[in-house]
Structure formats: structure tokens, C-alpha cells
Amino acid sequence: MGTFHTLASAVFVVGLAGVAFADEFPARPLTIVVPAGAGGGGDTTTRMLARELEGELGQPITIINQGQGGGVVGLTSIRNAKADGYTVGLLFPYAGYKFTGQADFKGADFTPVANFNGDSSSLLVAESSPFTDLKSALDALKADPSGFNVHCSGGCGSVWDIPVAGMMLDYGIDVAKINWIPGQGAASGLTELSSGGVDFQTASLPEAASLMQAGQVRALAVLSPEPVAGFEDVPLAGDTVGHPVDGGTWRAIGGPAGMPAEAVEVWQEAIRNAMNSEEFRTSMKTAGFGLKWLDSAQLKALMEQHEADTARVMGALGYGK
């Protein structure tokens, strides 16, 4: 009887602790790790979201940029963070790192919270580039793939370059011979592109918008089945290759594996409310970023599909052999 009473009391205490956690979290400042340098799409969208989240969560949020290693450092920090809900980070297509030998991230390393953004990849050139359309660029790459450098923005085998590489592969280009250049984010890569350091850049249109408006870079095509809002003049890749092309990134908030369910729920609800705010929606639209809501379960499914799709494409491209 005494044992039963003790166990029952323990269960009751644990239950109260769970309620207290849900009511009190977060009780102190929060941190969001961004595995990219300042100024790129990942950094920009996360900061827009964080401004709204501070009001929703009632705590200040510190953004830590860790773009080293093409994002490997930042993702590692998220994976290794204390799983108490106070440190989360920006998640994006990560499975390619395994095939380039940079790191081996998998869905089980993280706690998916919610997805808030989705954007299409594009192929960009400097304003001074001799290529004026996608077909001429693809034909040149097919004729001499080793003669060109393509900047990946982040780590190669990830967010923007894999969809572009898949399109090139379907066009008959030997993509394994192309010089794929890793970087610390789209912003630094676009600067290198505009100065002639690389021939092509893979990135989203919003990330390139300021340099496009300044007349320093041009988008040859976007990998979207329909025109991108705010960039309706950018040609669709499908018009050149003969079939719709849909490839790009997703951006989500996630934490280390083992985050308390209560913390996930608090973050998820705050992100949902932030995404529904007029200020956030206007900011994202003005900057040209797409809204894409997925809850924790849906994000988990997306991550699993991403890993399967990446393994198929990277294997076909000869990575990891």
C-alpha cells in the first residue's frame, strides 16, 4: 500500500511538473542558430520570424549565425544543443552533406517543430556573362562541363544546387565534371558571382533580388512550375527543358533530438501565430519569400522524403562513391 501510494504520488508530481513546464516555458531568453552567414535568405527569413516570435513568446531571442563549412557548423550546434527547448535553429535541406563527406545529418538528430518558408532555386549569372538564356548556358555546360564553376551558396549537395544539378543531369550534362564551389551563404556567393569569381550561382530569387535590381546579376531561369510572385519576368526552367521543373528549399525551425513535447507545442503555436500576423506576411511578401506552413508531424514527413529524394539524386550524380 505504501509502495503504491509512493508511486502514485510520483506520477502526480511528474504530471504537475509537465503542467508547470507548459505554463512557464519559456522562462528566460531564447536562441535561434542560423547555419548561414548574415544577409542570405536563411538569415533574413529567420530574423523576420524572430521579431514576431519575441512578442509571441514574451522573451528576447538571440540569432547566432554559423555559416562555416557551408552550414555544417550551425547544424552541428543545433544537433548538440541542450534539449530543453531554449536553443533551436533553422533547418533546411541537409541530407546532401552526407554524400559530399562533410557531415552525416539525419532526421533523428533533430526535433522538427514547424516549417515556415519555401522557395524555388534559380540559376544566376553576372550581368557581364555571355549567357543570355538558360539554353545557351546548358548547351555550354554540356559541351565543356569542367570549364565552368558553379557556386552552391551553402554547402554543395544541398539546398539550391541539387535541384539545378538534377535539371542539368536530365539535360545530358555530366554534372560530376562541373566545378561546384561551396560557400557560407548566398550573399557572399552572389558577391563573388558579380565580380566574376564564378560563372554561375544557385540561389533563390529573393536572395539575389538586391543585386538583380542593381544590375549586377541576372537570373537565367527559376525552377518553379509557375512564375514566382515578384519575379514574373524570370523564365521558367521548364520552358527550356521541355517539362515542368520544381526544385528548391524549405526552411523550418527545429531543435536537438529529445526536446520536450511541451516546448515543441509552445514553439509551434508561436510560429503559427507569427506566420498569421499581418506584419510577418507583409515583410515576407515584400522581400519575395514564400510562406509554407507545416506542423511538427508534417515537417517530420517532409524531412524523411527529403532524405530519400536526396539519396536518389546524389547517387545518380556519383556523389559518395
Side-chain angles (χ1 to χ4, degrees):
M1 183 70 174
T3 301
F4 176 80
H5 177 75
T6 300
L7 290 173
S9 298
V11 171
F12 180 71
V13 170
V14 170
L16 285 179
V19 171
F21 183 95
D23 289 342
E24 296 175 3
F25 180 84
R28 52 186 170 82
L30 302 150
T31 297
I32 299 179
V33 177
V34 177
D43 177 64
T44 300
T45 55
T46 303
R47 289 180 185 275
M48 288 178 181
L49 182 68
R51 284 199 296 268
E52 298 299 315
L53 290 177
E54 286 185 327
E56 291 292 329
L57 296 169
Q59 293 288 347
I61 296 175
T62 298
I63 302 292
I64 297 179
N65 292 95
Q66 294 186 330
Q68 302 93 325
V72 170
V73 172
L75 287 170
T76 300
S77 292
I78 299 168
R79 181 177 63 184
N80 295 342
K82 185 176 181 180
D84 58 3
Y86 283 90
T87 297
V88 297
L90 177 70
L91 299 182
F92 51 84
Y94 54 82
Y97 293 111
K98 173 181 178 180
F99 298 91
T100 56
Q102 295 171 277
D104 186 5
F105 299 113
K106 49 189 179 298
D109 294 329
F110 306 105
T111 296
V113 176
N115 192 85
F116 65 94
N117 167 240
D119 287 301
S120 299
S121 183
S122 68
L123 186 65
L124 300 129
V125 294
E127 181 60 37
S128 59
S129 171
F131 302 113
T132 58
D133 55 42
L134 180 62
K135 186 178 187 306
S136 63
L138 294 180
D139 287 343
L141 283 158
K142 187 174 183 178
D144 182 22
S146 63
F148 296 97
N149 298 323
V150 182
H151 199 286
C152 302
S153 288
C156 293
S158 186
V159 130
W160 304 121
D161 57 295
I162 284 303
V164 171
M167 174 186 69
M168 291 178 177
L169 184 69
D170 293 342
Y171 199 78
I173 297 170
D174 187 349
V175 295
K177 291 183 178 180
I178 294 173
N179 300 309
W180 299 94
I181 311 298
Q184 294 187 22
S188 60
L190 287 163
T191 299
E192 189 171 356
L193 176 70
S194 64
S195 66
V198 293
D199 303 294
F200 301 98
Q201 170 88 6
T202 61
S204 72
L205 294 175
E207 289 176 311
S210 61
L211 289 184
M212 289 171 65
Q213 292 168 0
Q216 296 183 46
V217 303
R218 292 182 282 109
L220 296 181
V222 60
L223 278 64
S224 172
E226 56 189 26
V228 175
F231 301 91
E232 288 84 1
D233 292 339
V234 176
L236 304 181
D239 293 343
T240 295
V241 300
H243 58 81
V245 179
D246 189 6
T249 194
W250 43 269
R251 295 189 178 100
I253 297 298
M259 270 178 60
E262 295 90 342
V264 174
E265 291 172 5
V266 171
W267 273 105
Q268 181 178 258
E269 186 63 21
I271 294 169
R272 186 198 303 269
N273 291 340
M275 288 185 65
N276 286 331
S277 73
E278 187 63 31
E279 183 175 349
F280 179 74
R281 299 180 76 86
T282 299
S283 296
M284 290 286 281
K285 181 178 180 180
T286 299
F289 292 105
L291 296 170
K292 183 177 182 179
W293 163 260
L294 296 176
D295 63 22
S296 180
Q298 293 169 323
L299 175 56
K300 182 176 185 292
L302 172 66
M303 291 164 69
E304 292 172 349
Q305 187 63 52
H306 157 63
E307 291 179 26
D309 290 345
T310 301
R312 176 182 59 81
V313 174
M314 296 292 274
L317 300 180
Y319 287 94
K321 293 183 179 179

